Amino acid sequence: MKEQLTAALMRPISDLKYISKRRASLFKKLDIETVLDLLRFFPHSYEDWTSLTSIRALEDGQEQVFMARVTAMPTIQYKGRRSILRTTLRDESGRISGVWFNQPYHQKNLLKDHVYLFRGKVQKSGRFQQVTNPTFEPLDLPEDKPIAPESFTDLFMKPIYSLTKGLTQGVVRNAVAHVVDGVADQLPETLPRSVRSQWQLCNINYAYEQIHHPQDRQAFAVAHRRLVFEELFMVQLGLRRLRQQEIDALTAPVINLSVEAIIRFKKARQALPFNLTDAQDRVLQEVLADLKRPVPMSRLVQGDVGSGKTVVAALALLACCLAGLQGAMMAPTSVLATQHYKNVATQLAGSGLNIALLTGQTGAKERRELLAGVAAGEIDILIGTHALLEDTVVFRHLGLAITDEQHRFGVRQRIRLTKDEMNRPHVMVMSATPIPRTLALILYGDLDISLIDELPAGRQEILTYTAREKDRRRIYELMEREIQAGHQCYVICPLVSAEDKETDLQSAVELAISLQEGVFSHRNVGVVYGELKEKEKQAVMQSFQDGDCDILVATTVVEVGVDNPNATFMLIENAERFGLSQLHQLRGRIGRGSARSICVLLSEVGEGIARERMRTLCHTNDGFAIAEADLELRGPGDFFGTRQHGLPEFRLANLYQDKDLLVLSRKAVDMVLAGELEVTPREWDWLEFGMEISLGVSPGHPGL
Ligand code: ADP
Ligand code: MG
């Protein structure tokens, strides 16, 4: 039964009588190859034919739908190759003239005394009214029956599909309508009855019928709700099951501290130059609790920039090492890895642990020794870049792997830190990109989430302003004042690759030179950018960190994680060039100490989305509010840049608009997995089918 149905749905559309080979190849451009693809090719919008207006009530300048009788055979007037077709349309309330330009063939489609639905733009002047080039649909109404829109119920919304060259709306509509008619009453129900009844979701047949040909708005809403719910439900269930399979199959070392180790741990904690915030402490406890279990931890630690994630990571690594295991920490850039290395080394200075740094710059000899030390278990904590993922890096006994700024690594890689099939270290992922909870649920459905939702005491709001080119002098005066007070400044330029450099953009190097040779000739100006040699990059960063460099001109290489609490001023050139979350990340480089910090967004752009982003930034320092605003302004597709996020693509669901359904579907997943909702074995079968489809795996694939 299942095989049969699946086979019917997986049939190539070229097998269908009404789809020629040529058409099939056009459909392929739209990623439609099978009957199922066609069924799941949802309209992107609809032409609404459901609100009827009587002719008398038609309004000037609006697209409207009305029902009318053709009073006379249409006449055609030719002017050269052009033609005008005219007739008069009438209902009980009045009449309107209908005009079609260059569509002479409609003469035979518009029959005298027949009734049609018309849809088009109406023009009125005085008592005269006209509708131009309306589309129309014949209605089967007896000639003598009065036209009564109020009692007319047979209305519809016409689907509008995405097209590709060579495929018209009519062809796609027909093809979809055919498959819907053909199979829509025998589709396998992918959502268990218990789930549907709990959240009042319609059945699958109705959903597919109505999403393609909604009777009315209400029916559309019902169908849409079910399909969006299903999409969100399937993806989350799929991710959670993957995680569950991992948990069932794998074991992780139990990290339980001896009494002596606990004392050492407490000592190290007390030796820190500050007390942990309540939020840091809570998250640390959540992590330590995970480490005590024989199940591999998969935890995302989220915290806004400056919330102090590193020290939580350091203490988790310490616990792991005190239990006799090794720890690893990976960062996306060598600048950041180096900084983590220094921070962790400082924070755990009194602990007697052996901490090492491995990046692409580590020399061959040093690297060899280092790897030997790692393999022998002499090195307790290894910090580094992607270099850590190489096959030559073998730990003696890795207990905890931490990755920072995870979304820059891609979902696959987060598993790769571990080479042993059965035993996995605990994994902790840190992200400073405040991911709106809505997205986090999906993106990290297979991770537990901890939130550091508090900044260390004494931090001040960063004052943020927008400015224009004419303000540059004053901006430089402000910078000078900060430097005189013993602080340092960042100047950020948009990343411009050498080839396609646009002239109106500030390039980091040029700006640095002009500052050093001009206004700031008495100061030390440094510059870093991505293409700079790693050694030089490190040297510049170091001199900035040490306070030798007063002004650091940089591209977005400083976006993630760079920590210099003495920097209190940031000027962002061409601020319109940056995304909202990116601006927030950049701005997060200042305001890290107790002094007041200032961020200036320099831009010449007028009103628009870029201005709106800047305004949002001026109003709030709250990363989560900013992330939500970003999501709203851009839509989730753009949130991380489409490639990086590893999110499955949704056909109908919009993570911003469908937040409520996301929450409900999450609940449904919880209840199904906990056995609180009944799912029969047969239903599981189809549920699995649904998950495979939603996660984009072709059904029957062994992957799930
Ligand atoms: P992020 O979460 O952005 O990675 P960091 O871990 O880099 O933040 O911490 C930012 C700065 O705050 C660092 O200089 C760090 O030493 C400091 N810091 C961290 N926790 C606290 C705390 N509880 N009290 C005071 N300062 C702290
Ligand atoms: Mg950080």
Side-chain angles (χ1 to χ4, degrees):
M1 177 65 176
K2 183 175 177 186
E3 284 69 30
Q4 235 172 330
L5 258 174
T6 312
L9 291 171
M10 300 317 286
R11 247 174 95 188
I13 52 168
S14 51
D15 279 9
L16 303 176
K17 274 201 295 293
Y18 47 88
I19 295 186
S20 65
K21 286 267 174 309
R22 198 185 64 86
R23 286 249 163 96
S25 70
L26 291 173
F27 273 106
K28 194 165 175 205
K29 288 191 190 156
L30 296 169
D31 279 332
I32 301 171
E33 297 186 53
T34 64
V35 168
L36 183 68
D37 293 339
L38 203 49
L39 270 177
R40 288 170 47 76
F41 190 59
F42 301 124
H44 66 70
S45 57
Y46 300 85
E47 225 174 73
D48 189 347
W49 290 67
T50 63
S51 351
L52 289 191
T53 310
S54 69
I55 288 180
R56 195 181 21 201
L58 288 172
E59 284 174 35
D60 185 43
Q62 308 272 356
E63 274 263 313
Q64 286 151 99
V65 183
F66 58 94
M67 195 172 168
R69 199 180 295 278
V70 174
T71 57
M73 158 132 157
T75 59
I76 305 188
Q77 214 183 326
Y78 284 97
K79 282 182 182 163
R81 296 188 59 192
R82 305 191 180 181
S83 71
I84 305 179
L85 183 79
R86 288 178 204 276
T87 186
T88 304
L89 313 170
R90 172 176 67 72
D91 71 2
E92 311 306 313
S93 73
R95 50 180 52 220
I96 181 168
S97 143
V99 177
W100 286 263
F101 291 101
N102 306 321
Q103 301 173 45
Y105 45 85
H106 278 336
Q107 192 177 36
K108 62 176 190 311
N109 298 333
L110 288 159
L111 303 177
K112 180 171 181 299
D113 292 332
H114 281 237
V115 176
Y116 300 80
L117 278 180
F118 294 91
R119 182 174 207 278
K121 205 168 186 174
V122 174
Q123 291 153 289
K124 284 180 112 160
S125 88
R127 289 189 49 207
F128 177 76
Q129 50 183 2
Q130 171 177 311
V131 59
T132 310
N133 293 335
T135 50
F136 55 90
E137 293 285 333
L139 291 178
D140 209 5
L141 227 64
E143 284 182 28
D144 49 348
K145 209 174 162 223
I147 295 173
E150 326 69 71
S151 62
F152 188 75
T153 53
D154 192 17
L155 297 170
F156 52 89
M157 285 160 78
K158 278 198 191 177
I160 303 178
Y161 297 97
S162 304
L163 300 176
T164 185
K165 203 165 177 263
L167 279 182
T168 63
Q169 199 57 250
V171 166
V172 178
R173 270 183 195 156
N174 276 334
V176 176
H178 261 102
V179 288
V180 171
D181 285 351
V183 296
D185 57 343
Q186 46 183 322
L187 288 174
E189 179 53 78
T190 39
L191 280 179
R193 172 178 298 276
S194 57
V195 171
R196 279 185 292 129
S197 80
Q198 177 86 19
W199 284 279
Q200 279 143 41
L201 303 164
C202 69
N203 73 43
I204 193 164
N205 294 324
Y206 184 81
Y208 273 90
E209 254 165 47
Q210 295 298 324
I211 200 76
H212 288 292
H213 290 283
Q215 260 163 20
D216 52 38
R217 286 159 196 275
Q218 174 67 26
F220 163 76
V222 167
H224 185 258
R225 180 169 181 274
R226 135 103 206 200
L227 292 170
V228 169
F229 184 100
E230 173 167 9
E231 197 165 34
L232 296 168
F233 175 81
M234 293 297 178
V235 167
Q236 293 177 90
L237 186 59
L239 284 174
R240 289 272 289 280
R241 286 236 312 187
L242 278 179
R243 166 87 179 119
Q244 192 56 49
Q245 285 165 7
E246 231 176 44
I247 290 174
D248 292 346
L250 302 170
T251 57
V254 172
I255 297 178
N256 238 335
L257 298 188
S258 65
V259 176
E260 190 221 334
I262 291 174
I263 293 171
R264 284 178 66 191
F265 186 83
K266 283 195 169 148
K267 250 195 183 149
R269 200 180 144 158
Q270 275 155 12
L272 291 172
F274 45 72
N275 289 323
L276 294 189
T277 62
D278 289 345
Q280 282 171 319
D281 188 48
R282 193 192 62 235
V283 171
L284 179 64
Q285 297 313 324
E286 284 168 1
V287 171
L288 294 180
D290 281 356
L291 296 181
K292 283 188 189 141
R293 303 194 309 152
V295 172
M297 167 172 80
S298 282
R299 186 169 285 279
L300 173 72
V301 172
Q302 264 197 24
D304 208 346
V305 280
S307 61
K309 292 180 290 293
T310 320
V311 69
V312 174
L315 290 172
L317 288 169
L318 173 65
C320 169
C321 297
L322 290 177
L325 301 167
Q326 293 167 291
M329 185 162 169
M330 191 163 69
T333 65
S334 55
V335 168
L336 205 54
T338 310
Q339 181 187 294
H340 277 325
Y341 167 71
K342 286 180 185 153
N343 281 341
V344 173
T346 316
Q347 283 163 351
L348 302 183
S351 65
L353 295 182
N354 198 350
I355 305 172
L357 174 70
L358 177 69
T359 70
Q361 281 66 57
T362 309
K365 176 159 174 281
E366 192 187 342
R367 188 188 147 87
R368 219 167 21 240
E369 287 169 11
L370 219 147
L371 291 183
V374 171
E378 287 152 13
I379 287 174
D380 299 300
I381 299 175
L382 184 63
I383 298 178
T385 54
H386 290 89
L388 258 59
L389 291 172
E390 283 162 25
D391 288 336
T392 47
V393 184
V394 180
F395 288 87
R396 178 152 183 272
H397 204 160
L398 184 61
L400 170 63
I402 299 179
T403 64
D404 193 10
E405 301 302 340
Q406 188 279 328
H407 69 263
R408 296 180 171 250
F409 290 112
V411 181
R412 295 270 145 249
Q413 276 166 311
R414 82 179 170 225
I415 305 162
R416 277 221 14 227
L417 252 184
T418 56
K419 278 139 205 157
D420 187 337
E421 297 281 294
M422 296 309 295
N423 296 298
R424 243 193 56 173
H426 298 283
V427 171
M428 173 172 151
V429 170
M430 299 196 292
S431 175
T433 311
I435 300 159
R437 192 144 186 93
T438 45
L439 269 185
L441 285 178
I442 293 277
L443 190 51
Y444 300 112
D446 52 341
L447 263 61
D448 298 317
I449 301 177
S450 291
L451 194 57
I452 307 184
D453 50 1
E454 179 185 0
L455 295 181
R459 295 278 170 82
Q460 298 190 32
E461 288 263 295
I462 300 167
L463 302 174
T464 305
Y465 307 100
T466 56
R468 293 180 182 271
E469 201 49 47
K470 63 178 168 51
D471 307 315
R472 196 176 278 278
R473 272 255 315 277
R474 273 185 38 224
I475 297 170
Y476 289 159
E477 282 163 21
L478 276 175
M479 282 169 64
E480 179 61 28
R481 221 187 298 158
E482 291 297 316
I483 299 171
Q484 264 167 27
H487 296 304
Q488 294 162 278
C489 307
Y490 289 101
V491 178
I492 308 295
C493 298
L495 183 93
V496 192
S497 73
E499 309 86 80
D500 58 12
K501 208 191 110 179
E502 296 162 49
T503 44
D504 60 325
L505 294 180
Q506 283 288 3
S507 111
V509 179
E510 281 165 24
L511 184 63
I513 293 173
S514 89
L515 290 179
Q516 183 69 86
E517 292 178 349
V519 204
F520 291 105
S521 55
H522 59 300
R523 298 293 179 196
N524 241 331
V525 181
V527 57
V528 277
Y529 47 94
E531 296 79 21
L532 201 64
K533 282 224 187 66
E534 205 53 49
K535 266 238 170 70
E536 296 171 43
K537 216 188 280 176
Q538 299 281 356
V540 179
M541 291 311 295
Q542 193 57 50
S543 83
F544 187 65
Q545 218 69 27
D546 295 344
D548 298 334
C549 164
D550 306 299
I551 300 172
L552 182 65
V553 183
T555 60
T556 51
V557 288
V558 299
E559 178 186 339
V560 267
V562 174
D563 182 34
N564 177 353
N566 192 44
T568 54
F569 190 96
M570 178 174 281
L571 167 62
I572 302 182
E573 301 269 352
N574 296 100
E576 76 281 357
R577 284 273 157 160
F578 302 96
L580 192 45
S581 292
Q582 201 177 15
L583 286 171
H584 177 65
Q585 283 296 313
L586 285 167
R587 180 174 63 175
R589 299 311 107 216
I590 56 173
R592 310 195 125 229
S594 52
R596 182 209 58 181
S597 292
I598 299 173
C599 176
V600 176
L601 307 170
L602 192 62
S603 176
E604 293 297 304
V605 294
E607 279 308 312
I609 230 178
R611 276 272 153 222
E612 207 142 314
R613 287 202 289 260
M614 291 183 245
R615 220 168 282 137
T616 307
L617 219 61
C618 294
H619 289 154
T620 180
N621 274 274
D622 175 352
F624 284 88
I626 287 167
E628 291 281 356
D630 199 12
L631 195 57
E632 189 169 3
L633 283 174
R634 300 204 277 166
D638 285 352
F639 191 68
F640 295 117
T642 0
R643 289 263 179 66
Q644 285 172 340
H645 59 42
L647 268 176
E649 280 192 21
F650 293 108
R651 302 213 165 199
L652 286 174
N654 172 317
L655 294 180
Y656 186 73
Q657 284 162 11
D658 299 321
K659 260 192 254 181
D660 296 349
L661 285 178
L662 186 58
V663 173
L664 296 184
S665 56
R666 164 85 166 182
K667 174 95 184 137
V669 169
D670 286 344
M671 288 178 73
V672 164
L673 288 178
E676 289 164 24
L677 285 173
E678 194 203 325
V679 181
T680 66
R682 217 182 102 86
E683 285 176 327
W684 262 117
D685 252 16
W686 286 116
L687 201 54
E688 232 141 283
F689 180 76
M691 273 190 275
E692 287 162 0
I693 293 170
S694 292
L695 285 174
V697 186
S698 60
H701 186 278
L704 281 176

